[in-house]
Amino acid sequence: MAELSDKDLIARRAAQELEDGDVVNLGIGLPTLVSNHVPDGVQITLHAENGILGMGPLCLPGVEDSDVINAGNQFVHILPGASFFDSATSFAIIRGGHVDVTVLGALQVDQEGNIASHVVPGKMVPGMGGAMDLVAGAKKVIVAMQHTAKGTPKIMRKCTLPLTGMKCVDMIITEKAVFEVTEQGLLLTEIMPGSSLADIQQSTEAELLVAEGGTG
């Protein structure tokens, strides 16, 4: 079996958090890979904030339907039983608490569960899309991202970029580790293959708690 890339390693671990029957919204970029790693026997329903419930995998080149895209403008398949609706209905689903899990990328996340994901002041970026609604409306918010940006920590004591949401992140998954955001602080629960506690501490600005009994 080919060795997984860092992004697929993160996506596979995030997919393990999904439960049978969950309605799931995946952010653009790395989080879209989560749909490739859903465990056998787990059936989820993918929601896209541009107005789809029951989205399938990304389309391979040559089989695209130009009218069917996800919120990241990627061509996607539609599964039997899927439905389409307008943006007002789509955001009502999110704001009404009907999305069980959202998996999002981030520019920064901090030990208080704050997330910054939509803008770097002075730089042109695509915008936040539905992220501000998702972090407020989804029952569980998972940040799936690479641990650093060109060696600079992305897991902070306090986010320095404009926030997308406050105290809303439940879990952080990177290629180095898995963290839970608790009332006591950021709890390191797992060390990913190829990493170490010393490596994680060196590349993380946030103060860390280590799970009782160590990290599995």
Side-chain angles (χ1 to χ4, degrees), residues 112-175:
E112 298 179 1
N114 300 314
I115 177 174
S117 65
H118 70 284
V119 65
V120 177
K123 292 189 177 181
M124 291 292 291
V125 293
M128 72 175 69
M132 191 171 283
D133 290 85
L134 285 163
V135 298
K139 296 173 185 172
K140 183 173 183 177
V141 176
I142 300 173
V143 170
M145 65 177 190
Q146 292 188 288
H147 202 92
T148 61
K150 299 180 180 178
T152 301
K154 296 172 69 177
I155 302 175
M156 317 289 287
R157 289 188 178 85
K158 196 79 172 179
C159 289
T160 58
L161 295 173
L163 295 183
T164 303
M166 295 178 64
K167 300 183 185 297
C168 54
V169 175
D170 297 293
M171 176 176 281
I172 305 166
I173 300 174
T174 77
E175 76 279 18

